């Protein structure tokens, strides 16, 4: 996922309920799908952040030698400015980038 190219809003906005539930015709099912995707996005971002911070990590045995690592601070600031995972998931949902299927219909 390329986080730099997302156009999801950083601030909270109000969405049209009819747009959200249009693909499933059930608002609760739509929200459930969006929530599951937001969890996936959050896991991806968290893993990516930890990997990047590990690159700059210094391991010292003494607590007295703790110092600021400017690279870690810059990476952290970048991730703090990103849209939240739920905003990214809603944006994906509205642009039909999330695949979903109803397993109950598949069984019948």
């Amino acid at each position: 996922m390329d986080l730099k190219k997302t156009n999801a809003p950083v601030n909270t906005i109000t969405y049209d309920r009819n747009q959200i539930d249009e693909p499933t015709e059930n608002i609760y099912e739509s929200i459930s799908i969006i929530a599951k995707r937001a969890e996936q996005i959050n896991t991806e971002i968290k893993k990516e952040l930890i990997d990047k911070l590990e690159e700059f990590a210094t391991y010292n045995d003494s607590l007295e030698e703790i110092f600021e690592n400017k690279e870690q601070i810059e990476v952290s600031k970048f991730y703090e400015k990103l849209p939240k995972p739920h905003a990214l998931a809603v944006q994906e949902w509205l642009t039909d980038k999330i695949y979903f299927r109803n397993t109950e219909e598949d069984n019948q």
Side-chain angles (χ1 to χ4, degrees), residues 10 16 32 36 66 70 81 87 90 100:
V10 178
D16 182 13
S32 175
K36 288 177 184 177
I66 296 176
K70 298 208 184 288
K81 293 179 185 176
V90 169
F100 69 96

Side-chain angles (χ1 to χ4, degrees), residues 1-6 8-11 41 44-46 48-49 52 75-88:
M1 172 188 312
D2 192 8
L3 298 171
K4 293 180 182 178
K5 295 181 181 177
T6 61
V10 178
N11 297 329
I41 292 170
E44 290 174 19
I45 291 173
K46 192 177 202 179
E48 188 176 310
L49 174 62
K52 286 188 179 185
V75 168
S76 296
K77 284 183 181 179
F78 170 75
Y79 281 92
E80 286 175 4
K81 293 179 185 176
L82 288 177
K84 302 296 180 213
H86 68 273
L88 294 167

Side-chain angles (χ1 to χ4, degrees), residues 18 26 31 37 98:
N18 295 327
N26 184 337
I31 291 173
R37 178 62 183 141
I98 297 178

